[in-house]
Amino acid sequence: MILSLRKKFILGTTLLILLIGIALGLLVEHELHSRFEDEVLKRGLSVARYIAEAAEIPLITENKLSLERLVNDYRKLDKDIEYIYIVAPDHSLAIHTFGSVVPQQLIDETLKAARSPGGTVSLQTKEGLIYDISTSIQDGSLGAVHIGLYGDLIHKNVEGVLMRMLPLFLAILILGSVAAVVFASAITRPIVLLTDGVERLSKGELYEPITITSHDEIGHLAAAFNSMTDRLRSTTVSREYMEKLIDSMNDVLIVISPDGVIQSVNHAYCELFGVLSDTVIGQSLTEFTDPYSPLCMSSAFSHALEHGPIHSIESNCRTASGEIVPMLYSLAVMKNEDGQPQAIICAAQNISGLKKIQDALKQKQAELEEVNLNLEGIVASRTAELAIGNEGLRAEVAERQKKTEELRAARDLAESANRAKSEFLANMSHEMRTPLNSIIGGTEYLDSTELYEDQQRCITMIRHAGDSLLILINDLIDLSRIEAGQLEIISRPFNLQNTLEQVIELLGQDAERKNLNLSLYSAVSMPHVVKGDKTRLQQVLVNLVANAVKFTEGGGSVSITTSTAPTENDQVPVTFVVKDTGIGIDPNKLDMIFDSFSQADTSITRRFGGSGLGLAISKKLVEAMGGAMQVESVPGAGSSFRFTVPFSSSPAEPEPVNKLATLDTMQIKAAGPGVNSGPKRLLLVDDSIENRELMKLLLRTLQLELHEAGNGQEALDLFTANRYDLVLMDIQMPVMDGYTATRIIRRNEERSGNKRSTIIALTAHAYESDIQKCLEAGCDDHIAKPFKKQTLLDCLSHYLSGDLT
């Protein structure tokens, strides 16, 4: 049974109160037992001393009757006394209260036990524990008095006190449970509201913000989420505005992808040809074989894709009602920033009116020729009419040129929108990573402090939620950049075997927790070093192996197998196969698993979770690296994902990572202990007060003198007035950004001849191009937000000599 967070909190608190109550009861029982035992033994010793004094004269006078009356009367007077007996100096029994049966074994054991004068002996009998208390008569010259008390007397007194304390304990337990219910509701209610907001966002509902009034970490997370929703809503409005603008055009507009698939048509197309856009969008140009179809343009599309724009192609097209409409087509290529085709824009104009004019002109010309044969006198007038017709034709040509210019303007507008999208993606990445830095860093700091168990669970949940949100944000940004054609494939030498082993090590704990056998089989012929994009390859393998582990039950197996083909044209094709014995995939749904936000079955989504982006991104990354991905699966028996990537052969060893280490790849070893030469001076530059506060918390235990600046200009002023061993420089700031501030600092260092200070870019800009810009501006290294505390400490240990602790 799965318990909610609220029920877990209430149950845990109740169990904690119960355990404390039990422990307190045991402690009280022990203390009461010790005190009652002392009191009983003291009372028994007092009685024994009294009887010893009273028995002196009867013992001296050998008055046995008086002795018998003395011990029997006292035995009857104190019901807690089990027996009384007096032994002579020779250990013979002088008098007793045992009756007719004398327990000689008990007497022998008490006499043999070593004890101090007036001491006590504890004996375990069939009737239970008994305390034998003795005292000597005239220092032992007349013998000794022995009194027996049962231990049940002490247990009864202790149980009586504990039973009187039981109602108080029950009242405390009930009050604690009520308090746990109240606190659990206060803690879980904001989390439920935040979860509902995320679900609404996933459904596209952007107009209802999350109403959380608390000012704790959940409140900050809700505020950041509402800010993100506002930006998404504003972006959606802009896209709708563009769609309305295109639909309001009188001319037909068709957008075709580079692979020949219809991406969109405007309202003018649907109205002219009498079709719905849903029946056209998504179809390939090769599917339209009717010569009168308005989309039968495969040859023109291929020519435009290879050689550039095509202007003024006339074609007769048939509408849904069967009417033939003459159209004038023009095709233009929309390219991305890298010059690669992004879409083909086709603009078409209904030239029925122009055709009517042309037909009328032909008719006039025929009439002119006929009249010319019969009436030479009207040649001049007919020539004038022909001139008028030519003037109309020139006007039509001018109109065509105007339409062409409008098409160029539309293309420029589309390219501008594409650039705006790129800027938006970069800004969204920065704006979402910045608050996540405070969330993840703050929880990591709190995780290192002493917290109550329920607080620790809350911190763990927030940290896991922040990590999951960061993964989702990275996936969304990657998917957007891929769809925008802005994916960066970095080809560098790397160790292929080490990369595979890192994937196994990264996911080994997850597999071990599920009792899975995770294995790696590498071909003997696999090259040691290849040239390609290690990061993207590792991203694909991690996605596939993580999926295999997630969808494989305990006791199953997941394997990575590699093989190579012969090298051709300096290319080394390496095939990777990720195979599992998991739940498998329905054959009818194999195609849809590579669609964004999709999984093979909605029940799997509820059971296993996930955004449905991993396979879509992996497939696109493999294609971007020049490969292709295939999948084979049998429901209930497992799945096998196969892809081949053509790497370049590389005789050189991979370059060590000394510069621009990112959050995922930075592995700088901490410097060894050195001579402590006083605190290092560090300048923290960040426009976010939350980030600066977080950095101060993370670094407060180190021997550092920390100065703060809120923008690049403040940083320059402080750097001019002081010398710093290291600068942590944010990039996107008001007044002056981090690039500009770093360049000015480097220029001032060169002019003054001062020692070069270490500058680390600490920013949410995490793309390869952003890292390169940091290096070009003069930064020595780069840490991407959000970052882990250990990553920051490793970087400081690497660049600051000496012991920081």
Side-chain angles (χ1 to χ4, degrees):
M1 183 178 72
I2 300 177
L3 297 178
S4 63
L5 176 62
R6 181 174 179 270
K7 291 181 180 179
K8 289 179 180 178
F9 182 85
I10 296 172
L11 181 60
T13 305
T14 304
L15 290 176
L16 180 62
I17 296 174
L18 187 60
L19 290 175
I20 294 175
I22 293 173
L24 183 61
L26 294 175
L27 178 62
V28 171
E29 180 186 13
H30 180 268
E31 291 295 326
L32 289 175
H33 188 279
S34 298
R35 293 188 180 183
F36 281 127
E37 185 180 41
D38 291 341
E39 291 179 2
V40 168
L41 296 180
K42 288 179 181 178
R43 188 180 65 172
L45 182 61
S46 176
V47 171
R49 289 174 177 173
Y50 174 79
I51 294 175
E53 292 177 359
E56 288 181 0
I57 295 177
L59 287 173
I60 294 173
T61 61
E62 297 183 354
N63 189 347
K64 190 173 183 179
L65 182 62
S66 298
L67 286 176
E68 184 176 354
R69 186 184 300 113
L70 173 65
V71 296
N72 286 332
D73 290 345
Y74 219 97
R75 172 70 177 80
K76 294 178 182 178
L77 182 64
D78 194 338
K79 300 299 181 181
D80 295 333
I81 297 176
E82 181 63 23
Y83 63 80
I84 303 174
Y85 69 90
I86 300 176
V87 295
D90 60 355
H91 291 173
S92 61
L93 190 62
I95 195 72
H96 63 86
T97 62
F98 295 117
S100 59
V101 180
V102 177
Q104 190 61 43
Q105 183 179 359
L106 174 67
I107 296 173
D108 293 340
E109 290 181 2
T110 57
L111 294 177
K112 290 178 182 180
R115 70 177 86 189
S116 60
T120 302
V121 174
S122 300
L123 299 175
Q124 191 67 39
T125 66
K126 295 180 180 179
E127 291 78 10
L129 179 66
I130 191 169
Y131 296 97
D132 187 270
I133 305 169
S134 65
T135 184
S136 60
I137 305 174
Q138 286 191 352
D139 296 330
S141 61
L142 296 179
V145 176
H146 289 258
I147 294 177
L149 298 172
Y150 274 109
D152 290 344
L153 172 64
I154 299 173
H155 293 302
K156 291 179 181 178
N157 291 332
V158 172
E159 290 177 357
V161 176
L162 291 178
M163 291 303 295
R164 290 193 295 272
M165 292 178 60
L166 181 61
L168 177 62
F169 171 71
L170 293 177
I172 294 175
L173 179 62
I174 294 173
L175 291 176
S177 300
V178 172
V181 172
V182 175
F183 287 133
S185 299
I187 292 173
T188 58
R189 188 181 299 111
I191 298 177
V192 172
L193 293 175
L194 187 60
T195 304
D196 293 341
V198 174
E199 291 179 353
R200 290 197 301 272
L201 177 62
S202 66
K203 297 177 182 178
E205 301 174 4
L206 306 176
Y207 295 93
E208 185 175 352
I210 298 175
T211 56
I212 296 178
T213 58
S214 61
H215 299 286
D216 53 11
E217 290 82 356
I218 296 179
H220 294 318
L221 182 59
F225 184 86
N226 288 335
S227 177
M228 180 183 70
T229 304
D230 291 339
R231 293 189 179 92
L232 288 175
R233 184 167 60 247
S234 63
T235 305
T236 303
V237 171
S238 300
R239 185 167 58 252
E240 292 176 352
Y241 178 79
M242 289 295 299
E243 291 175 354
K244 291 179 181 179
L245 180 64
I246 294 174
D247 279 340
S248 64
M249 295 177 60
N250 294 326
D251 292 340
V252 171
L253 188 65
I254 307 169
V255 179
I256 309 169
S257 66
D259 54 358
V261 177
I262 307 301
Q263 290 185 332
S264 66
V265 293
N266 66 346
H267 180 71
Y269 177 92
C270 299
E271 184 177 4
L272 176 61
F273 295 106
V275 296
L276 298 176
S277 60
D278 294 340
T279 62
V280 177
I281 296 176
Q283 297 191 49
S284 175
L285 293 179
T286 57
E287 299 178 21
F288 299 93
T289 57
D290 184 1
Y292 289 102
S293 172
L295 295 173
C296 183
M297 57 176 72
S298 295
S299 59
F301 168 81
S302 301
H303 186 277
L305 194 62
E306 295 179 4
H307 304 289
I310 298 177
H311 304 291
S312 304
I313 300 176
E314 292 189 12
S315 176
N316 290 327
C317 301
R318 182 184 291 111
T319 65
S321 61
E323 179 185 359
I324 299 299
V325 178
M327 301 294 295
L328 184 66
Y329 285 91
S330 295
L331 285 79
V333 183
M334 184 177 71
K335 299 182 179 180
N336 57 21
E337 295 179 352
D338 298 330
Q340 297 298 321
Q342 196 169 10
I344 303 297
I345 309 298
C346 176
Q349 179 187 7
N350 183 355
I351 57 173
S352 298
L354 178 61
K355 285 297 184 181
K356 289 179 180 180
I357 295 177
Q358 290 178 344
D359 292 340
L361 181 58
K362 291 179 181 179
Q363 183 180 1
K364 292 297 183 182
Q365 289 176 341
E367 293 176 355
L368 180 61
E369 292 175 357
E370 183 180 356
V371 171
N372 187 48
L373 295 174
N374 299 305
L375 300 172
E376 291 292 336
I378 62 173
V379 172
S381 61
R382 295 305 184 190
T383 302
E385 291 178 0
L386 181 60
I388 295 174
N390 289 335
E391 186 64 25
L393 183 59
R394 284 193 293 271
E396 288 296 331
V397 172
E399 183 67 20
R400 292 183 186 180
Q401 293 177 348
K402 179 180 178 182
K403 293 300 182 182
T404 302
E405 292 299 325
E406 290 178 353
L407 180 60
R408 291 196 184 97
R411 181 195 62 191
D412 295 338
L413 183 62
E415 292 176 349
S416 176
N418 182 55
R419 289 191 296 271
K421 179 180 179 181
S422 301
E423 295 174 358
F424 167 76
L425 290 177
N427 187 58
M428 283 300 295
S429 175
H430 179 274
E431 293 300 322
M432 289 188 289
R433 285 171 175 270
T434 297
L436 272 179
N437 184 62
S438 298
I439 295 172
I440 295 177
T443 54
E444 186 180 22
Y445 169 76
L446 292 177
D447 198 27
S448 63
T449 62
E450 295 184 1
L451 301 172
Y452 293 112
E453 183 180 2
D454 54 344
Q455 294 173 333
Q456 184 65 47
R457 287 200 300 269
C458 290
I459 291 299
T460 302
M461 287 186 295
I462 295 173
R463 186 178 70 249
H464 289 171
D467 292 339
S468 299
L469 185 57
L470 176 61
I471 293 173
L472 179 58
I473 289 172
N474 288 337
D475 284 346
L476 289 173
I477 295 301
D478 279 348
L479 182 63
S480 299
R481 290 178 64 83
I482 290 172
E483 292 179 346
Q486 298 171 348
L487 179 67
E488 300 172 339
I489 299 298
I490 307 301
S491 183
R492 294 172 180 165
F494 69 95
N495 190 306
L496 183 55
Q497 181 65 24
N498 288 350
T499 302
L500 295 171
E501 292 174 355
Q502 288 172 7
V503 174
I504 295 295
E505 180 179 359
L506 180 64
L507 299 171
Q509 292 184 353
D510 294 340
E512 185 177 350
R513 280 194 292 269
K514 294 188 68 175
N515 192 23
L516 299 178
N517 180 22
L518 180 59
S519 56
L520 170 65
Y521 304 98
S522 299
V524 178
S525 60
M526 188 179 69
H528 181 68
V529 177
V530 296
K531 187 176 182 182
D533 196 325
K534 171 186 175 182
T535 301
R536 297 304 183 184
L537 173 63
Q538 194 171 32
Q539 183 178 356
V540 173
L541 290 173
V542 168
N543 278 340
L544 294 180
V545 176
N547 263 5
V549 171
K550 180 167 66 174
F551 294 111
T552 302
E553 299 296 337
S557 64
V558 177
S559 65
I560 303 177
T561 305
T562 65
S563 59
T564 60
T567 303
E568 184 177 352
N569 297 329
D570 201 31
Q571 295 291 313
V572 184
V574 180
T575 300
F576 303 86
V577 179
V578 178
K579 188 175 183 179
D580 62 70
T581 59
I583 62 176
I585 306 169
D586 190 333
N588 297 325
K589 298 178 180 179
L590 286 177
D591 294 336
M592 67 171 291
I593 63 174
F594 294 109
D595 294 338
S596 301
F597 307 100
S598 295
Q599 288 186 335
D601 193 276
T602 55
S603 64
I604 295 177
T605 303
R606 291 192 296 270
R607 180 180 177 188
F608 295 97
S611 63
L613 290 177
L615 290 179
I617 293 176
S618 298
K619 182 175 183 294
K620 294 180 184 296
L621 289 176
V622 169
E623 292 172 349
M625 290 187 289
M629 182 174 292
Q630 300 173 345
V631 58
E632 297 176 357
S633 182
V634 177
S639 304
S640 176
F641 289 83
R642 175 189 301 269
F643 65 95
T644 302
V645 176
F647 294 109
S648 299
S649 60
S650 176
E653 288 293 326
E655 296 181 1
V657 181
N658 291 328
K659 295 290 183 179
L660 305 175
T662 63
L663 175 64
D664 298 324
T665 60
M666 182 174 179
Q667 300 292 336
I668 301 175
K669 299 294 183 182
V675 179
N676 193 340
S677 58
K680 301 293 184 180
R681 182 174 291 180
L682 187 147
L683 175 60
L684 173 61
V685 186
D686 199 313
D687 63 321
S688 172
I689 299 177
E690 292 82 1
N691 284 341
R692 297 204 301 270
E693 292 296 324
L694 174 61
M695 291 294 292
K696 288 192 289 185
L697 288 173
L698 296 177
L699 302 178
R700 67 177 185 175
T701 60
L702 304 181
Q703 293 186 5
L704 294 173
E705 180 182 342
L706 185 64
H707 293 183
E708 299 179 50
N711 55 61
Q713 185 59 54
E714 294 180 6
L716 284 178
D717 296 338
L718 288 172
F719 196 90
T720 303
N722 305 279
R723 290 292 301 162
Y724 294 97
D725 300 288
L726 188 141
V727 180
L728 292 175
M729 180 69 72
D730 192 12
I731 296 302
Q732 185 169 317
M733 295 182 292
V735 183
M736 180 185 293
D737 60 44
Y739 294 132
T740 305
T742 301
R743 292 190 186 96
I744 296 177
I745 288 175
R746 293 307 188 205
R747 187 164 57 247
N748 291 343
E749 287 176 341
E750 291 178 359
R751 292 176 179 175
S752 62
N754 292 333
K755 180 182 177 182
R756 179 185 173 98
S757 299
T758 301
I759 300 178
I760 309 297
L762 188 63
T763 173
H765 292 289
Y767 294 140
E768 185 73 22
S769 57
D770 298 325
I771 299 175
Q772 188 62 33
K773 287 177 64 177
C774 292
L775 178 61
E776 293 172 353
C779 294
D780 298 287
D781 215 323
H782 175 279
I783 299 178
K785 298 177 183 176
F787 57 86
K788 300 292 184 181
K789 177 182 178 181
Q790 190 58 46
T791 301
L792 176 64
L793 296 181
D794 286 347
C795 186
L796 293 179
S797 298
H798 179 75
Y799 289 102
L800 296 179
S801 60
D803 188 359
L804 299 179
T805 59

